[in-house]
Amino acid sequence: MSNSIQTVGIVGAGTMGNGIAQACATKGINVVMVDIADAAVQKGLATISGSLDRLIKKEKISEADKAAALALVKGSTSYDDLKGCQLVIEAATENPEIKNKILKQLDELLPAETIIASNTSSISITELAAQTKRADKFIGMHFFNPVPMMALVELIRGIQTSDATHDAVKALAEHLGKSPITVKNAPGFVVNRILVPMINEAFFVLAEGLATPEDIDAGMKLGCNHPIGPLALADMIGLDVCLAVMEVYLEQFGDSKYRPCYLLKEMVAAGHLGRKTGRGVYDYSAK
């Protein structure tokens, strides 16, 4: 089935877009990576090149492998270049208005048989699919960061997604060496639905003074075999992002179990957002 998708289009050359492009190109799939500005496209191509260089240093790939992969990636600022793709993945910013606008443009431009996917981590696939006239050929492909290293892809079926669409995209994900899981459309899908409330609960444990941040994180690492503790992970994700996700769950499920921890709210209000601001649960300013 995977050979039905020979060329993948990607809208967005940022972290997720260029990561998906690299994952495809290293497995022999042609890629068209589109962004609004040429500077963004060039930055995306440079990121792929740098990432492949690191794999050469680790002796995972050869110089020839790098050259072959880069030759398969075409950077562009024109949506017209996506017309020859069998699958186009929207990997733009996590903003419904931006995604809706892009999807409407793609739907008008692409041949009727082309599959469209969104790499959203939180927006309803059913609602995004409804922006197009091909809801049966629309699916969520939620890749995880960093894309070249992370094995998981959540395949999210909207209420209208056809079996043929799901099967073609699943086959592609497997061809990329990923381990896809199939998920029905619901806020947070599977991974973030479990992960972010767990992080929120860690903040409640911290707020109640049950243990220090270090001991909470050590407990989850050593007791549950997690590679990183929930509070350190929150600092990596961004406390503002964790709070926003919890607020979406509370609003969409209407269940008080999703209420954000008051300490999380306080820290966001104080601008202590984690690594990106130098301070979150932990202090990164000296590191």
Side-chain angles (χ1 to χ4, degrees):
M1 222 21 222
S2 67
N3 59 4
S4 66
I5 298 175
Q6 303 286 347
T7 305
V8 172
I10 299 164
V11 179
T15 304
M16 298 307 289
N18 68 58
I20 298 165
Q22 179 181 328
C24 291
T26 51
K27 295 293 183 183
I29 303 277
N30 291 296
V31 177
V32 180
M33 183 172 68
V34 176
D35 211 311
I36 302 167
D38 187 55
V41 174
Q42 296 308 322
K43 188 179 174 191
L45 292 169
T47 302
I48 296 169
S49 181
S51 178
L52 294 172
D53 283 339
R54 285 193 293 280
L55 292 174
I56 291 169
K57 271 191 192 139
K58 291 177 183 168
E59 299 184 352
K60 297 268 177 76
I61 64 168
S62 66
E63 288 281 359
D65 293 332
K66 177 190 172 181
L70 288 177
L72 293 175
V73 183
K74 177 183 179 178
S76 173
T77 54
S78 170
Y79 277 25
D80 280 346
D81 289 331
L82 298 169
K83 285 181 180 171
C85 301
Q86 291 83 47
L87 165 70
V88 176
I89 303 169
E90 170 276 309
T93 314
E94 196 71 352
N95 175 313
E97 283 103 51
I98 292 172
K99 289 188 185 290
N100 288 344
K101 186 180 164 201
I102 290 168
L103 295 173
K104 282 176 180 161
Q105 281 179 282
L106 291 175
D107 189 47
E108 284 170 20
L109 176 84
L110 297 170
E113 64 275 10
T114 307
I115 297 169
I116 301 178
S118 176
N119 175 57
T120 179
S121 58
S122 64
I123 302 168
S124 165
I125 294 302
T126 299
E127 286 176 21
L128 290 174
Q131 302 296 319
T132 74
K133 296 182 190 73
R134 64 182 84 202
D136 60 319
K137 293 189 177 66
F138 193 94
I139 195 166
M141 280 188 95
H142 181 208
F143 289 85
F144 286 73
N145 188 21
V147 177
M149 315 310 293
M150 296 290 274
L152 182 66
V153 181
E154 285 183 310
L155 302 180
I156 303 105
R157 298 187 69 146
I159 203 163
Q160 317 94 319
T161 307
S162 72
D163 289 344
T165 296
H166 168 267
D167 295 349
V169 172
K170 184 181 181 199
L172 173 73
E174 288 170 344
H175 177 77
L176 299 183
K178 303 301 183 191
S179 301
I181 63 170
T182 300
V183 182
K184 284 183 188 171
N185 185 59
F189 313 134
V190 164
V191 175
N192 287 337
R193 167 85 177 269
I194 296 168
L195 175 68
V196 185
M198 183 194 76
I199 288 171
N200 191 52
E201 196 61 31
F203 275 93
F204 275 116
V205 169
L206 179 62
E208 289 163 25
L210 300 186
T212 64
E214 291 80 4
D215 281 356
I216 293 167
D217 280 350
M220 293 304 289
K221 281 162 72 176
L222 302 174
C224 299
N225 214 14
H226 291 188
I228 183 172
L231 298 172
L233 182 57
D235 278 352
M236 248 172 85
I237 295 168
L239 270 56
D240 52 335
V241 176
C242 295
L243 176 59
V245 171
M246 288 306 295
E247 285 171 338
V248 167
Y249 293 172
L250 183 63
E251 183 221 333
Q252 297 202 354
F253 290 113
D255 188 330
S256 64
K257 75 178 181 181
Y258 296 111
R259 72 193 189 285
C261 176
Y262 57 92
L263 177 61
L264 178 59
K265 287 179 166 180
E266 280 283 282
M267 292 180 76
V268 171
H272 298 170
L273 308 183
R275 287 176 180 261
K276 61 188 173 190
T277 59
R279 177 139 185 223
V281 177
Y282 299 102
D283 187 351
Y284 302 92
S285 55
K287 293 178 185 175

